[in-house]
Amino acid sequence: MQLVIGVICMSMIANLQYGWTLFVTPIEEKHQWGRAAIQVAFTIFVVTETWLVPVEGWFVDKFGPRIVVVVGGALCALAWAINSVADSLAMLYLGAAIGGIGAGGVYGTCVGNALKWFPDRRGLAAGITAAGFGAGSALTVVPIANMIASSGYEATFMTFGLGQGAVVFLLAWFLAEPHADQLPKVTSASVNQSRRNYTPQEMLKTPTFWVMYLMFAMVAAGGLMATAQLGPIAKDFHLDGVPVSIMGLTLPALTFALSIDRVLNGLTRPFFGWVSDNIGRENTMFIAFAIECVGILALNQWGHNPVAFVILTGLVFFAWGEIYSLFPACCGDSFGSKFATTNAGLLYTAKGTASLVVPFANVAVASTGSWQAVFFFAAAVNAIAAFLALFVLKPMRARQIAESAPTRVKLATEGAD
């Protein structure tokens, strides 16, 4: 039940990030604020969504998950209500900040709760929960796009904002933390797990955390560019209204791509989470990041073809979304369950750091007239992250966990004596 509630709550806040690209062009057409200035709102949303998660995680670890998600749902509804009446960039940015705080509280709490309830299957549990955020907007892409076209983006913001927030607010009252006697024992030999519970302060002093943080930020940067810029990319490629037919279904290229991307971005999280439970976190990271690198380069090469655009953006999202299951699971494995929500929240701030580069994509396109530099940057950071996963993080984590083992054995022996 806790897992299902987490998935539904995550799906209700998904549009705050993944539905944003549908609103950029209508806002620009009405107010003429400039695409780069409007996209600053996206960066503000991601920064406030991520950088405040450790604070929200502290509240969860201390007071439980319920109150944080209740407040988060209310803030998410308020944010889109503000967006619906925003007549200045300052007001748009205010809505983005409020939405980020609310979404971060819901996101961090639900993922942290999954890590605590399922220590034996952290990758799969975090992946299923994060799938709600990745795929949650898939079912509403077409309704949102249609409502923007028929009723305007303002009415769409208001209607979906209030509806999504209300669902989160109501379900939050059923969230709870696990008791020790409710937890299964960890038996998997494929995943290295520390038996020590690191406090957030102790975790921040380890090199392992900072390598994970760097990798998370690098891979997230490339993916966030695609998330925020998919609409503008399709428009610049002259594909946004081009009909595409795949397997008997015909939709405009951008709508088709957004729908498939959301589904694959959701499926990848439990899939790669399950894979990592069986072959290890770092091995799975290497495979996923390498696929992402190849997918981005292919999108740069063949993305002007409507069918290729739909298929390749799907591949890019499939190979990117898994970071939201692999990194929280890896964090829980490395630093323990007791402070899992706060610790995973600290690592999640890497997404906020990565979001700072999103507006520069527009600057690069404006100065070069092409998306090529953006694609090459995203491919390069994924290639570097793949190398770091296998050749730096893997041996570093193994050493950290092994070095703490003799101390635990010695203390246990002395206690027996």
Short mmCIF file of all heavy atoms in Angstrom, two decimals, residues 285-328:
data_model
loop_
_atom_site.label_atom_id
_atom_site.label_comp_id
_atom_site.label_asym_id
_atom_site.label_seq_id
_atom_site.Cartn_x
_atom_site.Cartn_y
_atom_site.Cartn_z
N MET A 285 24.80 1.19 -14.12
CA MET A 285 25.05 2.58 -14.51
C MET A 285 25.87 2.65 -15.79
O MET A 285 25.57 3.43 -16.71
CB MET A 285 25.79 3.32 -13.39
CG MET A 285 24.95 3.63 -12.17
SD MET A 285 25.96 4.44 -10.88
CE MET A 285 24.77 4.58 -9.55
N PHE A 286 26.92 1.83 -15.87
CA PHE A 286 27.79 1.84 -17.05
C PHE A 286 26.98 1.54 -18.31
O PHE A 286 27.10 2.23 -19.33
CB PHE A 286 28.92 0.82 -16.89
CG PHE A 286 29.81 0.72 -18.10
CD1 PHE A 286 30.83 1.63 -18.30
CD2 PHE A 286 29.60 -0.29 -19.04
CE1 PHE A 286 31.65 1.54 -19.43
CE2 PHE A 286 30.41 -0.38 -20.17
CZ PHE A 286 31.44 0.53 -20.36
N ILE A 287 26.14 0.52 -18.26
CA ILE A 287 25.35 0.12 -19.43
C ILE A 287 24.38 1.24 -19.82
O ILE A 287 24.29 1.63 -20.99
CB ILE A 287 24.56 -1.17 -19.12
CG1 ILE A 287 25.54 -2.34 -18.92
CG2 ILE A 287 23.57 -1.48 -20.23
CD1 ILE A 287 24.88 -3.59 -18.36
N ALA A 288 23.66 1.79 -18.83
CA ALA A 288 22.64 2.81 -19.12
C ALA A 288 23.26 4.09 -19.66
O ALA A 288 22.77 4.67 -20.64
CB ALA A 288 21.84 3.10 -17.86
N PHE A 289 24.34 4.55 -19.04
CA PHE A 289 24.96 5.80 -19.47
C PHE A 289 25.57 5.67 -20.86
O PHE A 289 25.56 6.62 -21.65
CB PHE A 289 26.02 6.25 -18.47
CG PHE A 289 25.50 6.48 -17.07
CD1 PHE A 289 26.36 6.56 -15.99
CD2 PHE A 289 24.13 6.60 -16.83
CE1 PHE A 289 25.89 6.77 -14.70
CE2 PHE A 289 23.64 6.81 -15.55
CZ PHE A 289 24.52 6.88 -14.48
N ALA A 290 26.09 4.48 -21.18
CA ALA A 290 26.65 4.26 -22.52
C ALA A 290 25.54 4.31 -23.57
O ALA A 290 25.71 4.89 -24.65
CB ALA A 290 27.38 2.92 -22.56
N ILE A 291 24.39 3.69 -23.26
CA ILE A 291 23.25 3.74 -24.18
C ILE A 291 22.79 5.18 -24.38
O ILE A 291 22.48 5.60 -25.50
CB ILE A 291 22.09 2.88 -23.64
CG1 ILE A 291 22.48 1.39 -23.64
CG2 ILE A 291 20.83 3.09 -24.48
CD1 ILE A 291 21.45 0.50 -22.97
N GLU A 292 22.76 5.95 -23.30
CA GLU A 292 22.35 7.36 -23.38
C GLU A 292 23.27 8.15 -24.30
O GLU A 292 22.81 8.95 -25.13
CB GLU A 292 22.35 7.97 -21.98
CG GLU A 292 22.04 9.46 -21.92
CD GLU A 292 20.58 9.79 -22.09
OE1 GLU A 292 19.79 8.89 -22.44
OE2 GLU A 292 20.20 10.96 -21.88
N CYS A 293 24.56 7.93 -24.17
CA CYS A 293 25.54 8.62 -25.01
C CYS A 293 25.29 8.34 -26.49
O CYS A 293 25.24 9.25 -27.32
CB CYS A 293 26.96 8.19 -24.61
SG CYS A 293 28.26 8.85 -25.67
N VAL A 294 25.11 7.06 -26.81
CA VAL A 294 24.87 6.66 -28.21
C VAL A 294 23.54 7.23 -28.71
O VAL A 294 23.43 7.72 -29.84
CB VAL A 294 24.87 5.12 -28.33
CG1 VAL A 294 24.44 4.68 -29.72
CG2 VAL A 294 26.27 4.57 -28.02
N GLY A 295 22.51 7.20 -27.85
CA GLY A 295 21.20 7.71 -28.25
C GLY A 295 21.21 9.19 -28.57
O GLY A 295 20.59 9.64 -29.54
N ILE A 296 21.93 9.99 -27.78
CA ILE A 296 22.01 11.42 -28.01
C ILE A 296 22.74 11.72 -29.32
O ILE A 296 22.33 12.60 -30.10
CB ILE A 296 22.69 12.12 -26.82
CG1 ILE A 296 21.78 12.06 -25.59
CG2 ILE A 296 23.03 13.58 -27.16
CD1 ILE A 296 22.44 12.53 -24.31
N LEU A 297 23.83 11.02 -29.55
CA LEU A 297 24.57 11.22 -30.81
C LEU A 297 23.72 10.83 -32.01
O LEU A 297 23.75 11.50 -33.05
CB LEU A 297 25.86 10.39 -30.79
CG LEU A 297 26.94 10.85 -29.79
CD1 LEU A 297 28.11 9.87 -29.78
CD2 LEU A 297 27.42 12.26 -30.11
N ALA A 298 22.93 9.76 -31.88
CA ALA A 298 22.04 9.35 -32.96
C ALA A 298 20.94 10.39 -33.20
O ALA A 298 20.56 10.67 -34.34
CB ALA A 298 21.44 7.99 -32.64
N LEU A 299 20.42 10.97 -32.12
CA LEU A 299 19.40 12.01 -32.25
C LEU A 299 19.95 13.22 -32.98
O LEU A 299 19.27 13.83 -33.82
CB LEU A 299 18.89 12.42 -30.86
CG LEU A 299 17.77 13.46 -30.81
CD1 LEU A 299 16.52 12.94 -31.51
CD2 LEU A 299 17.45 13.84 -29.36
N ASN A 300 21.18 13.58 -32.70
CA ASN A 300 21.83 14.68 -33.40
C ASN A 300 21.97 14.39 -34.89
O ASN A 300 21.80 15.27 -35.74
CB ASN A 300 23.20 14.96 -32.79
CG ASN A 300 23.97 16.03 -33.54
OD1 ASN A 300 23.61 17.19 -33.53
ND2 ASN A 300 25.04 15.62 -34.22
N GLN A 301 22.26 13.12 -35.21
CA GLN A 301 22.54 12.74 -36.60
C GLN A 301 21.26 12.57 -37.41
O GLN A 301 21.17 13.02 -38.55
CB GLN A 301 23.34 11.43 -36.61
CG GLN A 301 23.77 10.97 -37.99
CD GLN A 301 24.82 11.88 -38.62
OE1 GLN A 301 25.60 12.51 -37.90
NE2 GLN A 301 24.85 11.96 -39.94
N TRP A 302 20.25 11.92 -36.84
CA TRP A 302 19.06 11.55 -37.61
C TRP A 302 17.77 12.14 -37.07
O TRP A 302 16.68 11.82 -37.55
CB TRP A 302 18.93 10.02 -37.64
CG TRP A 302 20.08 9.36 -38.36
CD1 TRP A 302 20.39 9.44 -39.69
CD2 TRP A 302 21.09 8.52 -37.77
NE1 TRP A 302 21.51 8.71 -39.98
CE2 TRP A 302 21.98 8.13 -38.82
CE3 TRP A 302 21.33 8.05 -36.49
CZ2 TRP A 302 23.08 7.31 -38.60
CZ3 TRP A 302 22.43 7.23 -36.26
CH2 TRP A 302 23.28 6.86 -37.30
N GLY A 303 17.85 13.03 -36.09
CA GLY A 303 16.65 13.55 -35.43
C GLY A 303 15.74 14.39 -36.30
O GLY A 303 14.60 14.65 -35.91
N HIS A 304 16.22 14.85 -37.47
CA HIS A 304 15.35 15.67 -38.32
C HIS A 304 14.29 14.84 -39.03
O HIS A 304 13.34 15.39 -39.59
CB HIS A 304 16.19 16.43 -39.36
CG HIS A 304 16.99 17.55 -38.77
ND1 HIS A 304 18.19 17.34 -38.12
CD2 HIS A 304 16.75 18.88 -38.68
CE1 HIS A 304 18.67 18.51 -37.69
NE2 HIS A 304 17.81 19.46 -38.01
N ASN A 305 14.44 13.54 -39.03
CA ASN A 305 13.42 12.66 -39.58
C ASN A 305 12.33 12.46 -38.53
O ASN A 305 12.63 12.11 -37.39
CB ASN A 305 14.04 11.31 -39.96
CG ASN A 305 13.02 10.33 -40.49
OD1 ASN A 305 12.30 9.69 -39.72
ND2 ASN A 305 12.96 10.19 -41.80
N PRO A 306 11.05 12.66 -38.87
CA PRO A 306 9.98 12.61 -37.85
C PRO A 306 9.91 11.28 -37.10
O PRO A 306 9.80 11.27 -35.87
CB PRO A 306 8.71 12.85 -38.67
CG PRO A 306 9.16 13.56 -39.88
CD PRO A 306 10.53 13.06 -40.18
N VAL A 307 9.98 10.16 -37.81
CA VAL A 307 9.90 8.85 -37.16
C VAL A 307 11.13 8.63 -36.29
O VAL A 307 11.04 8.16 -35.14
CB VAL A 307 9.75 7.72 -38.20
CG1 VAL A 307 9.78 6.35 -37.52
CG2 VAL A 307 8.46 7.89 -38.99
N ALA A 308 12.31 8.97 -36.83
CA ALA A 308 13.55 8.81 -36.06
C ALA A 308 13.52 9.70 -34.82
O ALA A 308 14.00 9.29 -33.75
CB ALA A 308 14.76 9.16 -36.93
N PHE A 309 12.95 10.89 -34.94
CA PHE A 309 12.86 11.81 -33.79
C PHE A 309 12.06 11.17 -32.66
O PHE A 309 12.47 11.20 -31.50
CB PHE A 309 12.19 13.11 -34.23
CG PHE A 309 11.97 14.10 -33.12
CD1 PHE A 309 13.01 14.92 -32.69
CD2 PHE A 309 10.73 14.21 -32.50
CE1 PHE A 309 12.81 15.84 -31.66
CE2 PHE A 309 10.52 15.12 -31.48
CZ PHE A 309 11.56 15.93 -31.06
N VAL A 310 10.93 10.58 -32.99
CA VAL A 310 10.08 9.94 -31.98
C VAL A 310 10.80 8.76 -31.33
O VAL A 310 10.84 8.62 -30.09
CB VAL A 310 8.74 9.48 -32.60
CG1 VAL A 310 7.94 8.65 -31.61
CG2 VAL A 310 7.93 10.69 -33.06
N ILE A 311 11.39 7.90 -32.15
CA ILE A 311 12.04 6.69 -31.63
C ILE A 311 13.29 7.03 -30.83
O ILE A 311 13.51 6.49 -29.73
CB ILE A 311 12.41 5.74 -32.79
CG1 ILE A 311 11.13 5.22 -33.45
CG2 ILE A 311 13.28 4.58 -32.29
CD1 ILE A 311 11.36 4.42 -34.71
N LEU A 312 14.12 7.95 -31.33
CA LEU A 312 15.39 8.26 -30.66
C LEU A 312 15.19 9.06 -29.38
O LEU A 312 15.94 8.87 -28.42
CB LEU A 312 16.32 9.00 -31.63
CG LEU A 312 16.85 8.15 -32.79
CD1 LEU A 312 17.65 9.02 -33.77
CD2 LEU A 312 17.74 7.02 -32.25
N THR A 313 14.20 9.95 -29.35
CA THR A 313 13.95 10.64 -28.09
C THR A 313 13.46 9.64 -27.04
O THR A 313 13.77 9.76 -25.84
CB THR A 313 12.90 11.77 -28.24
OG1 THR A 313 11.70 11.25 -28.81
CG2 THR A 313 13.45 12.89 -29.10
N GLY A 314 12.69 8.62 -27.49
CA GLY A 314 12.29 7.57 -26.58
C GLY A 314 13.48 6.82 -26.00
O GLY A 314 13.55 6.53 -24.80
N LEU A 315 14.47 6.53 -26.85
CA LEU A 315 15.68 5.85 -26.39
C LEU A 315 16.45 6.72 -25.40
O LEU A 315 16.95 6.23 -24.37
CB LEU A 315 16.58 5.51 -27.59
CG LEU A 315 17.93 4.85 -27.26
CD1 LEU A 315 17.72 3.50 -26.61
CD2 LEU A 315 18.79 4.72 -28.52
N VAL A 316 16.54 8.01 -25.70
CA VAL A 316 17.25 8.93 -24.81
C VAL A 316 16.60 8.98 -23.43
O VAL A 316 17.28 8.92 -22.40
CB VAL A 316 17.31 10.35 -25.44
CG1 VAL A 316 17.76 11.38 -24.43
CG2 VAL A 316 18.25 10.35 -26.65
N PHE A 317 15.28 9.07 -23.41
CA PHE A 317 14.58 9.13 -22.13
C PHE A 317 14.67 7.80 -21.38
O PHE A 317 14.75 7.76 -20.16
CB PHE A 317 13.11 9.53 -22.33
CG PHE A 317 12.89 11.00 -22.36
CD1 PHE A 317 13.19 11.75 -23.48
CD2 PHE A 317 12.38 11.66 -21.26
CE1 PHE A 317 13.00 13.12 -23.51
CE2 PHE A 317 12.18 13.04 -21.27
CZ PHE A 317 12.49 13.77 -22.40
N PHE A 318 14.66 6.69 -22.13
CA PHE A 318 14.76 5.37 -21.50
C PHE A 318 16.11 5.19 -20.82
O PHE A 318 16.20 4.61 -19.74
CB PHE A 318 14.57 4.27 -22.55
CG PHE A 318 14.61 2.89 -21.99
CD1 PHE A 318 13.55 2.38 -21.25
CD2 PHE A 318 15.71 2.08 -22.19
CE1 PHE A 318 13.59 1.10 -20.71
CE2 PHE A 318 15.77 0.79 -21.66
CZ PHE A 318 14.69 0.30 -20.92
N ALA A 319 17.16 5.70 -21.44
CA ALA A 319 18.50 5.53 -20.88
C ALA A 319 18.86 6.62 -19.87
O ALA A 319 19.92 6.54 -19.24
CB ALA A 319 19.54 5.53 -22.02
N TRP A 320 17.98 7.61 -19.70
CA TRP A 320 18.26 8.70 -18.74
C TRP A 320 17.51 8.54 -17.43
O TRP A 320 18.06 8.75 -16.34
CB TRP A 320 17.89 10.05 -19.35
CG TRP A 320 17.99 11.18 -18.38
CD1 TRP A 320 19.13 11.66 -17.78
CD2 TRP A 320 16.92 11.99 -17.88
NE1 TRP A 320 18.83 12.72 -16.95
CE2 TRP A 320 17.48 12.94 -16.99
CE3 TRP A 320 15.55 12.03 -18.11
CZ2 TRP A 320 16.71 13.89 -16.33
CZ3 TRP A 320 14.79 12.98 -17.45
CH2 TRP A 320 15.38 13.90 -16.58
N GLY A 321 16.25 8.13 -17.51
CA GLY A 321 15.39 8.15 -16.33
C GLY A 321 15.83 7.25 -15.20
O GLY A 321 15.42 7.43 -14.05
N GLU A 322 16.69 6.25 -15.51
CA GLU A 322 17.08 5.29 -14.47
C GLU A 322 17.93 5.90 -13.37
O GLU A 322 18.09 5.31 -12.30
CB GLU A 322 17.83 4.10 -15.11
CG GLU A 322 19.31 4.28 -15.26
CD GLU A 322 19.67 5.36 -16.27
OE1 GLU A 322 18.94 5.51 -17.26
OE2 GLU A 322 20.69 6.03 -16.07
N ILE A 323 18.48 7.09 -13.58
CA ILE A 323 19.29 7.71 -12.52
C ILE A 323 18.47 7.94 -11.26
O ILE A 323 19.02 7.97 -10.16
CB ILE A 323 19.94 9.04 -12.98
CG1 ILE A 323 18.88 10.08 -13.35
CG2 ILE A 323 20.91 8.81 -14.11
CD1 ILE A 323 19.47 11.45 -13.71
N TYR A 324 17.15 8.06 -11.42
CA TYR A 324 16.30 8.35 -10.27
C TYR A 324 15.93 7.09 -9.47
O TYR A 324 15.25 7.19 -8.45
CB TYR A 324 15.06 9.11 -10.72
CG TYR A 324 15.43 10.42 -11.37
CD1 TYR A 324 15.28 10.62 -12.74
CD2 TYR A 324 16.02 11.44 -10.62
CE1 TYR A 324 15.67 11.81 -13.34
CE2 TYR A 324 16.40 12.62 -11.21
CZ TYR A 324 16.23 12.81 -12.57
OH TYR A 324 16.63 13.98 -13.15
N SER A 325 16.36 5.93 -9.96
CA SER A 325 16.27 4.72 -9.14
C SER A 325 17.66 4.24 -8.73
O SER A 325 17.87 3.82 -7.58
CB SER A 325 15.53 3.60 -9.88
OG SER A 325 16.16 3.28 -11.10
N LEU A 326 18.62 4.33 -9.63
CA LEU A 326 19.97 3.80 -9.34
C LEU A 326 20.68 4.60 -8.26
O LEU A 326 21.28 4.02 -7.34
CB LEU A 326 20.81 3.79 -10.62
CG LEU A 326 20.36 2.85 -11.73
CD1 LEU A 326 21.38 2.85 -12.86
CD2 LEU A 326 20.16 1.44 -11.20
N PHE A 327 20.64 5.92 -8.33
CA PHE A 327 21.38 6.72 -7.36
C PHE A 327 20.77 6.68 -5.96
O PHE A 327 21.51 6.54 -4.98
CB PHE A 327 21.56 8.15 -7.87
CG PHE A 327 22.66 8.28 -8.88
CD1 PHE A 327 22.37 8.47 -10.23
CD2 PHE A 327 23.99 8.21 -8.50
CE1 PHE A 327 23.38 8.57 -11.17
CE2 PHE A 327 25.01 8.32 -9.44
CZ PHE A 327 24.71 8.49 -10.78
N PRO A 328 19.44 6.79 -5.80
CA PRO A 328 18.90 6.63 -4.45
C PRO A 328 19.19 5.26 -3.86
O PRO A 328 19.51 5.13 -2.67
CB PRO A 328 17.39 6.84 -4.64
CG PRO A 328 17.27 7.65 -5.88
CD PRO A 328 18.39 7.21 -6.75
#
